[in-house]
Amino acid sequence: MTTPFTPEHDMLRAVVRDFVRTEIDPHTEAWEKAGRFPAHSLLRKMGRLGLLGLSYPEAYGGGGGDYWFNTVLLEELGRAESLGVSLGLCVHTDMATPALARHGSPDLRERFLVPAIKGELVSAIAVSEPDAGSDVAALRTRAEIDGDDFVINGSKMWITNGTQADFLTLLARTSGEHGARGMSLIIVPTSTPGFSVSRKLDKLGHRSSDTAILAFDNVRVPRANCIGVEGGGFKIQMEQFQRERLAMTLMAITSMERALDLTRGYLRERRAFGGPLLRNQHLYFELAGLYAEVEALRQLAYQCVRSYVAGIDMTREASMAKLIAGRLTRRVADTCVQFHGGMGYVEEYPIARYFRDIRLYAIGGGADEVMLEVIAKHQGMGPKSK
Amino acid sequence: MNIITLVKQTPDTAKLSRTLNGLQLSADGQPRIVNPWDEYAIETALQLKEKHGGKKVTALSLGKPEAADALRTSLAMGADEAVLISDPALATVDTLGTARALAAAITRLGGADLIVAGRSAIDGNDAAVPAQLAALLGRPLLSYVAALKAVDAGAKTITVVRALEGGRETVSATLPAILTVVKEIAEPRYPSFMGIRKAAKAPITTLALKDLGLEASALAAGLSWQVGLPQTREVNCEFIAGTPAEQAEALVSKLIEQKVI
């Protein structure tokens, strides 16, 4: 089969795979127990290898590559034992920094993007709120304009890397307008007085990733920290969501492959009724069908990457891919646990963690239902359609 | 101080499963990797450059055209130049022939103050080429080096610690010299993304036998070998039934009968 990857991409894949196997996987248990991975030290290591700015401009310390390099990174992160670590890293490379790289002022990029690429600063994306998750237009955090400053008040929820981030890419209201208008995307250093972590959330899965509720009490940052024009934040963030959906889909695909491979391996070893369980046609037919669906999703995701590289809008396709990923991961995880029998229900086997971890993919980064709304709108349906 | 590191592309022995005739592992069409021991050699060469006043690191390989991939990995890790000796006439060459071709290439490249190789290659596991190369070039060989103690490019001396069975040995030699290194010497670095980008565009010099002024006949294998199974032995197996006490008694009687005890 043809591949979009060049030998250069393959070399990167070998490096990332080796990195995941030696620098991340051996720590899975410890980091899951600790409730966070050491973001600063891990990002420093990745930064030194140039893994945090693969497709960012060389002028800012990036690698100047195309998005297929990010694709390689995300695919290999998807194969990690702990998806919590992978998500924390993905937030840094593909959620909190792309808008800064694309729309940030040269000064803002110099102060935040350059150290983020080096792995010296940990970033987080702060959009969701207690009362505005997938419904971004309903968010309430305000950034009042006071001379040359913004004064930020409110709270943010579900923030990955929330307890460790050095800066946030924060979406807040900067005018009195309602709905999608009047929002700005602002870089907020977490060392600013008035910022605090309200608490770290205790989650079903992704336990090696710290997810937090953040509070802003008269947090004052310069208006120069605004990414793009004031009031243009919603539009930029909507554009950013496409990349976020694609990134999660790419990780989901390889994570499903890993789960299916683990299950196939288990069924090959596990003997019952006079032979390896893998000789049972029901079991291998089910797995074969799931491999087929994962491959189909990969091809859709690759089409999204092609569009993204070409600068073509892929909102419809990325939303479809994310929806399918959210649904397929649930079936894959459920099947894999079922085929492991009792062993699928104990933490000694990796599939139990996968079952807990992957459940997020139908909720985070835009829930399945949000994807359905976006797709419906593209297909001329919905509450406002004629 | 010019440094040459010898790099061999080998099959990934952990992934070999097919055999040619039930006896020999087949590497055809299987993924190939940089000989893992050579990664330590590359790292050592890079550290010699970075910490001991080296000027240039050249990665040198002998193999099929696809061995260029192993050289690209060396470049991505930080080697400055890469040279591949590749010629269809080398397909069946043995370790001495390999050493002769490498010696000719090293001379053509203007020699080197230090030649660094891994302790052996994971496919053949002969650990012969560096020694043969040392003999051909008339240079000292420091094998199984676990640590560099001192390198003086001006005085042209090197002191290393060798890891030997049951002990360590500190030895000095004059440069130019040839080192083979073991795992303890240094942890090989990951290629960086910038290194990968650079390596992808870097030219790799390819030398054929005629470029080295060598005739295929001069490199012909001096050894021949064949693979076979050890002779099978006829074994009769008898199981003794009964209670443990009966089994013990029957066993002892049989052993006495056979004059074993």
Side-chain angles (χ1 to χ4, degrees), chain A residues 8 11-12 15 19 22-23 49-50 54 63-64 69, chain B residues 72-73 76 190-194 196-197 199-201:
Chain A
E8 223 175 316
M11 276 177 85
L12 175 70
V15 171
F19 187 87
T22 48
E23 307 288 339
L49 296 176
L54 297 170
F69 287 105
Chain B
R72 294 223 182 268
T73 303
Y190 294 103
S192 72
F193 184 52
M194 293 65 91
I196 291 171
R197 301 280 284 170
K201 294 179 197 95

Side-chain angles (χ1 to χ4, degrees), chain B residues 36-75:
Chain B
W37 295 107
D38 293 346
E39 292 184 9
Y40 296 90
I42 301 165
E43 179 63 37
T44 307
L46 295 173
Q47 291 195 8
L48 278 164
K49 180 185 162 182
E50 291 159 358
K51 296 181 188 164
H52 300 280
K55 214 166 66 195
K56 187 174 80 175
V57 172
T58 305
L60 175 63
S61 186
L62 182 149
K64 292 179 183 172
E66 52 266 36
D69 289 347
L71 289 174
R72 294 223 182 268
T73 303
S74 318
L75 289 167

Side-chain angles (χ1 to χ4, degrees), chain B:
Chain B
M1 196 166 67
N2 280 328
I3 302 147
I4 289 178
T5 176
L6 305 182
V7 179
K8 185 176 185 184
Q9 191 187 44
T10 63
D12 188 347
T13 51
K15 292 196 180 129
L16 292 186
S17 54
R18 278 184 298 172
T19 58
L20 280 176
N21 43 19
L23 294 170
Q24 286 171 271
L25 286 166
S26 165
D28 286 346
Q30 300 293 304
R32 298 178 75 78
I33 55 171
V34 175
N35 171 39
W37 295 107
D38 293 346
E39 292 184 9
Y40 296 90
I42 301 165
E43 179 63 37
T44 307
L46 295 173
Q47 291 195 8
L48 278 164
K49 180 185 162 182
E50 291 159 358
K51 296 181 188 164
H52 300 280
K55 214 166 66 195
K56 187 174 80 175
V57 172
T58 305
L60 175 63
S61 186
L62 182 149
K64 292 179 183 172
E66 52 266 36
D69 289 347
L71 289 174
R72 294 223 182 268
T73 303
S74 318
L75 289 167
M77 284 173 76
D80 301 289
E81 285 173 19
V83 179
L84 174 66
I85 307 166
S86 193
D87 195 305
L90 289 167
T92 55
V93 83
D94 65 4
T95 59
L96 188 57
T98 301
R100 286 202 169 109
L102 289 172
I106 289 165
T107 306
R108 203 195 122 121
L109 292 171
D113 300 288
L114 274 166
I115 297 165
V116 192
R119 53 162 285 181
S120 59
I122 56 164
D123 50 359
N125 241 329
D126 298 296
V129 169
Q132 291 165 328
L133 188 58
L136 289 169
L137 294 174
R139 306 292 183 212
L141 171 74
L142 304 165
S143 57
Y144 302 102
V145 172
L148 302 172
K149 282 202 90 166
V151 184
D152 190 332
K156 293 206 168 283
T157 57
I158 184 167
T159 304
V160 302
V161 179
R162 298 178 67 214
L164 303 175
E165 268 181 56
R168 306 251 140 184
E169 183 184 42
T170 302
V171 288
S172 297
T174 52
L175 301 181
I178 296 173
L179 311 184
T180 76
V181 299
V182 296
K183 261 186 176 179
E184 296 103 288
I185 189 103
E187 191 57 37
R189 66 194 65 187
Y190 294 103
S192 72
F193 184 52
M194 293 65 91
I196 291 171
R197 301 280 284 170
K198 218 175 79 194
K201 294 179 197 95
I204 290 178
T205 309
T206 305
L207 301 173
L209 281 187
K210 64 171 170 36
D211 301 317
L212 300 174
L214 290 172
E215 293 292 331
S217 56
L219 303 177
L223 285 173
S224 70
W225 50 279
Q226 59 187 47
V227 178
L229 283 175
Q231 258 184 337
T232 51
R233 284 192 304 163
E234 286 287 317
V235 178
N236 289 320
C237 206
E238 187 187 338
F239 288 92
I240 302 168
T243 64
E246 286 164 0
Q247 285 176 313
E249 196 169 328
L251 178 62
V252 170
S253 317
K254 284 209 178 282
L255 290 174
I256 292 169
E257 207 175 283
Q258 300 280 326
K259 298 193 166 62
V260 178
I261 52 175

Side-chain angles (χ1 to χ4, degrees), chain A residues 118-331:
Chain A
K118 282 186 185 160
E120 289 167 358
L121 294 182
V122 176
S123 64
I125 178 86
V127 173
S128 297
E129 297 183 359
D131 295 315
S134 292
D135 183 9
V136 178
L139 69 81
R140 288 196 290 209
T141 296
R142 300 195 58 81
E144 299 283 351
I145 293 165
D146 181 22
D148 286 340
D149 292 338
F150 289 123
V151 179
I152 303 162
N153 281 288
S155 73
K156 291 286 174 185
M157 198 170 177
W158 315 119
I159 309 307
T160 305
N161 298 343
T163 71
Q164 302 192 74
D166 299 298
F167 73 87
L168 310 169
T169 302
L170 172 114
L171 190 64
R173 293 201 174 278
T174 43
S175 82
E177 290 170 287
H178 294 291
R181 283 166 302 178
M183 289 186 207
S184 301
L185 211 48
I186 303 162
I187 296 286
V188 181
T190 54
S191 56
T192 316
F195 168 83
S196 64
V197 176
S198 306
R199 75 182 165 93
K200 184 167 152 301
L201 298 163
D202 186 10
K203 309 185 298 299
L204 172 69
H206 280 71
R207 290 185 183 164
S208 53
S209 160
D210 55 309
T211 312
I213 304 178
L214 310 178
F216 303 83
D217 179 17
N218 288 315
V219 175
R220 187 175 280 272
V221 297
R223 285 170 75 181
N225 279 18
C226 184
I227 296 173
V229 294
E230 278 177 22
F234 187 79
K235 191 168 164 281
I236 296 174
Q237 190 52 38
M238 285 299 120
E239 168 193 298
Q240 162 61 24
F241 275 146
Q242 306 323 313
R243 175 158 169 177
E244 200 167 311
R245 285 167 197 169
L246 178 55
M248 285 189 75
T249 302
L250 289 166
M251 288 203 297
I253 290 164
T254 44
S255 84
M256 286 190 281
E257 263 181 353
R258 176 175 167 271
L260 290 170
D261 289 350
L262 284 171
T263 307
R264 184 187 57 190
Y266 176 76
L267 294 176
R268 186 172 279 145
E269 295 298 317
R270 170 85 172 140
R271 300 176 74 87
F273 310 111
L277 273 179
L278 195 61
R279 291 202 190 137
N280 180 310
Q281 196 176 55
H282 166 67
L283 301 180
Y284 68 72
F285 267 20
E286 279 295 318
L287 292 187
L290 289 170
Y291 274 113
E293 289 183 66
V294 171
E295 186 58 40
L297 177 58
R298 185 204 312 277
Q299 297 309 321
L300 176 58
Y302 281 4
Q303 187 53 41
C304 292
V305 178
R306 272 181 214 107
S307 298
Y308 188 73
V309 169
I312 298 165
D313 179 67
M314 44 124 188
T315 308
R316 176 176 170 272
E317 292 74 23
S319 307
M320 287 175 165
K322 171 72 169 57
L323 171 72
I324 296 169
R327 290 177 165 181
L328 188 55
T329 48
R330 286 147 86 176
R331 279 172 45 224

